[in-house]
Amino acid sequence: MDFILQNYYPMITAIAMAFVITVILGFPSIPLLRRIKAGQSIREDGPQSHLKKAGTPTMGGLFMIGAIVVTALIVEGMSKDILVLILAAVGFGAIGFIDDFIKVVLKRNLGLRAYQKMALQIAVAAALAVYQLKVSAFGTHVYIPIADINVNFGIMYIPFIVFVTVAMVNSVNLTDGLDGLASGVTIPVCLFLGMTAVGFAYEGLGVFAGAVAGACSGFLVYNHKPAKVFMGDTGSLALGGAISAVAVLMNMTMIIPVVGMVFVAEAVSVIIQVYVYKTSKRRVFKMAPLHHHFELSGWSEVKVVWVFSAVSVVLCIIGALIIW
């Protein structure tokens, strides 16, 4: 038991430190966001109960990112892996921040155009893939958990990593639609990644994943219903980038669709809804992403968050059984 605690102590420290720093940073940050009128606009075709959220400060992801970076550097120190993880989270977060800033501060509803966001995301993901290719002992091999084999992706390695990373980043972004939902689903995923990293002797990755989990927990202090602040694309893209980067550096990319199935389901629901509506003018779901479907089916916002978070916990347990 002492041996286990000793191994996980840095990760546990990172969780606690990131939690405290996020809570502390929230006190001055939320009034500042109000002062610059960084209020969230609410889609009129969404659930009517959400209209009262209009004007709630957004871009709270800024103090989450700050807490993650500070915690990782204090607990683990500077290393190549930590630097890459930070750059991935900050890089994707910066894309979200630019989009948020244009929409909520400059009051230009379109924000970044879709092709601009996609090009920037692909650039950050490609940099992550190239780094892993250069430093990893696995080369272009990708671990397939259930089959317990390494498959050589060859020239498709970088495109594959880019696809998985960009897909996960945008899936987390789509999940951020209810008070506490993105954080509630992300916490177990990061705890799973952190514990797996430590178990495979990637202490730095474990510390970083723990910092992300701690920051999400601290953010929930302000983001549980009724939310005092939203993370915005600044936070959701950063979280997606952080999750993806940890998985890529561990060569555990293929476990992400399992433990992150809630994120995947949210994204797939949107794809299905758009495709079916364009081809037949019918809707499969009452509204997409999936969490809105359950809301319009009579579930309370709190129930959706708790159920989705619980499903995320179960999926992470399944992931652990597959890995171990």
Side-chain angles (χ1 to χ4, degrees), residues 159-173:
F160 170 74
I161 296 298
V162 169
F163 171 78
V164 172
T165 301
V166 172
M168 179 53 57
V169 166
N170 286 285
S171 297
V172 176
N173 181 236

Side-chain angles (χ1 to χ4, degrees), residues 174-187:
L174 289 170
T175 305
D176 182 32
L178 301 179
D179 296 356
L181 181 59
S183 292
V185 174
T186 299
I187 290 169

Side-chain angles (χ1 to χ4, degrees), residues 126-255:
L128 175 65
V130 170
Y131 171 80
Q132 178 65 357
L133 180 62
K134 295 289 187 182
V135 305
S136 173
F138 297 101
T140 56
H141 287 76
V142 175
Y143 179 64
I144 311 298
I146 297 177
D148 194 26
I149 58 174
N150 287 293
V151 175
N152 189 356
F153 275 56
I155 61 172
M156 293 305 297
Y157 178 81
I158 290 179
F160 170 74
I161 296 298
V162 169
F163 171 78
V164 172
T165 301
V166 172
M168 179 53 57
V169 166
N170 286 285
S171 297
V172 176
N173 181 236
L174 289 170
T175 305
D176 182 32
L178 301 179
D179 296 356
L181 181 59
S183 292
V185 174
T186 299
I187 290 169
V189 174
C190 285
L191 291 176
F192 164 82
L193 289 173
M195 294 177 71
T196 302
V198 175
F200 283 96
Y202 293 105
E203 182 185 299
L205 304 188
V207 165
F208 188 83
V212 177
C216 286
S217 301
F219 190 71
L220 278 174
V221 172
Y222 303 107
N223 187 237
H224 71 275
K225 185 176 177 63
K228 299 179 180 66
V229 66
F230 300 133
M231 67 175 66
D233 285 6
T234 306
S236 60
L237 295 187
L239 290 182
I243 291 170
S244 301
V246 172
V248 168
L249 265 58
M250 277 198 297
N251 199 33
M252 288 287 177
T253 317
M254 293 298 289
I255 199 64

Side-chain angles (χ1 to χ4, degrees), residues 17-232:
M17 184 178 295
F19 173 84
V20 172
I21 293 175
T22 303
V23 172
I24 292 174
L25 290 178
F27 282 109
S29 298
I30 295 174
L32 177 60
L33 291 170
R34 288 200 189 98
R35 199 170 301 124
I36 64 175
K37 302 187 184 303
Q40 178 72 49
S41 59
I42 304 298
R43 51 187 281 196
E44 294 183 0
D45 61 338
Q48 294 301 299
S49 60
H50 288 208
L51 295 177
K52 61 186 177 183
K53 300 182 181 185
T56 302
T58 187
M59 296 196 293
L62 286 171
F63 59 88
M64 293 177 66
I65 295 171
I68 292 167
V69 172
V70 170
T71 299
L73 291 176
I74 290 176
V75 177
E76 183 61 23
M78 182 64 74
S79 67
K80 286 184 179 180
D81 282 353
I82 287 293
L83 180 59
V84 168
L85 292 169
I86 288 174
L87 289 176
V90 172
F92 283 109
I95 298 169
F97 172 77
I98 294 170
D99 192 44
D100 284 337
F101 189 83
I102 292 172
K103 287 188 291 190
V104 304
V105 178
L106 300 183
K107 308 301 180 186
R108 299 175 188 169
N109 292 335
L110 291 177
L112 286 172
R113 298 192 180 276
Y115 75 88
Q116 293 173 322
K117 291 176 71 173
M118 185 57 64
L120 290 169
Q121 289 177 13
I122 289 173
V124 177
L128 175 65
V130 170
Y131 171 80
Q132 178 65 357
L133 180 62
K134 295 289 187 182
V135 305
S136 173
F138 297 101
T140 56
H141 287 76
V142 175
Y143 179 64
I144 311 298
I146 297 177
D148 194 26
I149 58 174
N150 287 293
V151 175
N152 189 356
F153 275 56
I155 61 172
M156 293 305 297
Y157 178 81
I158 290 179
F160 170 74
I161 296 298
V162 169
F163 171 78
V164 172
T165 301
V166 172
M168 179 53 57
V169 166
N170 286 285
S171 297
V172 176
N173 181 236
L174 289 170
T175 305
D176 182 32
L178 301 179
D179 296 356
L181 181 59
S183 292
V185 174
T186 299
I187 290 169
V189 174
C190 285
L191 291 176
F192 164 82
L193 289 173
M195 294 177 71
T196 302
V198 175
F200 283 96
Y202 293 105
E203 182 185 299
L205 304 188
V207 165
F208 188 83
V212 177
C216 286
S217 301
F219 190 71
L220 278 174
V221 172
Y222 303 107
N223 187 237
H224 71 275
K225 185 176 177 63
K228 299 179 180 66
V229 66
F230 300 133
M231 67 175 66

